[in-house]
Amino acid sequence: MRNLIAAVAQMGPIARDAPRSSAVARMCTMMTDAADRGASLVVFPELALTTFFPRWHLEGADLDQWFETAMPNAATQPLFDLSAKLNVAFHLGYAELTPQGQRFNTAIMVEAGQIVGKYRKIHLPGHQEPEPWRPFQHLEKRYFETGDLGFSVFDALGGKAGMCICNDRRWPETWRMLGLQGAELVALGYNTPLHYPPAPEHDHLQYFHNALSIQAGCYQNGLWALAAAKAGHEEGCDLIGGSMIVAPTGEIVAQALGVGDEVITARIDLDRCAEIRRNIFDLAKHREPQTYGLLTAPKAG
């Protein structure tokens, strides 16, 4: 059996003027808490170092300040150092500015102080041009490029791990791409508003849709998911919590209770992935990819 204790570190709101050192200090506190519970992995949210800046229309230096040009850097080095000291791996989401000037919504997996996996968000939600009618903007399509690393799977924690970010979790293709490559554990972070301006009639479903997407992805692909929210009332916008750890059966085995900083843990057995993969969702035996041509056809519009 390949057992480990995994932790999800939900974060409460981050103020617009809060320095990165403040967020890193909070993450270090939660990493220490997770280590005290025996965890060997802790998952932090999407864009965990700052407030969710795509809710504002920004240009030039006002935009550049939210991006990291190196990882680790002076602000995040304490997290890397603590990870190595405690022997706790971690997943971290942040805004990345590459040397070539590209901007991505990025996540990394760090083990023994070294980056062992990197992912750049593919399914970017929101809009590209400011829309004044909205109570807050969601300009991810303006500020980020579509991820160019694909849905990669890598060796970590004695198994096969993958990552996705926020809106990716809603797309079954995300989970299937990871499952086809043998991912046994998927780490993901999210910043999800409670209010969805284009369809406010769905506001009461935000927690349900979050859980539905993650549970279905786990069950249909026989893998574990560790999902970490940035939550609470952040700069006039309410973000859902609901951080969770989900088993390959689709069952929620641990879930955050509030919308502030909170660590949840669960013992996970990576060998349980086989329960699904050798039965109903034996992909080698039961998939019929020759009939799925529309899945990779060019998108319309």
Side-chain angles (χ1 to χ4, degrees), residues 47-182:
L47 300 177
L49 298 172
T50 69
T51 196
F52 188 74
F53 65 89
R55 67 171 62 97
W56 297 291
H57 180 205
L58 305 165
E59 301 283 357
D62 288 340
L63 177 61
D64 291 343
Q65 65 176 314
W66 303 105
F67 286 80
E68 314 304 319
T69 57
M71 190 58 65
N73 54 37
T76 59
Q77 189 63 53
L79 195 60
F80 280 73
D81 293 344
L82 184 62
S83 168
K85 177 183 177 181
L86 298 176
N87 194 27
V88 174
F90 69 93
H91 163 281
L92 175 70
Y94 64 97
E96 177 190 13
L97 176 59
T98 73
Q100 296 75 33
Q102 294 176 284
R103 300 176 188 273
F104 296 104
N105 189 336
T106 297
I108 53 173
M109 183 78 79
V110 178
E111 189 173 14
Q114 301 296 316
I115 297 173
V116 296
K118 187 174 189 177
Y119 172 72
R120 291 167 172 164
K121 188 173 180 177
I122 289 174
H123 296 105
L124 296 172
H127 48 107
Q128 192 159 21
E129 297 301 324
E131 297 178 353
W133 62 269
R134 291 174 177 259
F136 50 86
Q137 301 298 300
H138 198 145
L139 291 165
E140 285 193 63
K141 287 188 180 296
R142 184 181 185 89
Y143 298 149
F144 300 116
E145 297 182 36
T146 300
D148 61 355
L149 300 178
F151 294 105
S152 61
V153 171
F154 51 91
D155 294 329
L157 300 155
K160 297 289 185 181
M163 294 180 282
C164 63
I165 299 175
C166 198
N167 191 44
D168 287 320
R169 75 194 189 279
R170 304 183 189 276
W171 297 83
E173 294 86 351
T174 297
W175 301 97
R176 182 62 88 219
M177 286 296 294
L178 293 168
L180 284 170
Q181 297 174 81

Side-chain angles (χ1 to χ4, degrees), residues 256-279:
L257 299 177
V259 290
D261 289 6
E262 183 177 349
V263 177
I264 58 172
T265 57
R267 181 173 294 277
I268 68 176
D269 178 2
L270 297 178
D271 289 332
R272 289 199 65 198
C273 297
E275 294 175 22
I276 301 298
R277 294 178 177 180
R278 65 172 173 244
N279 291 296

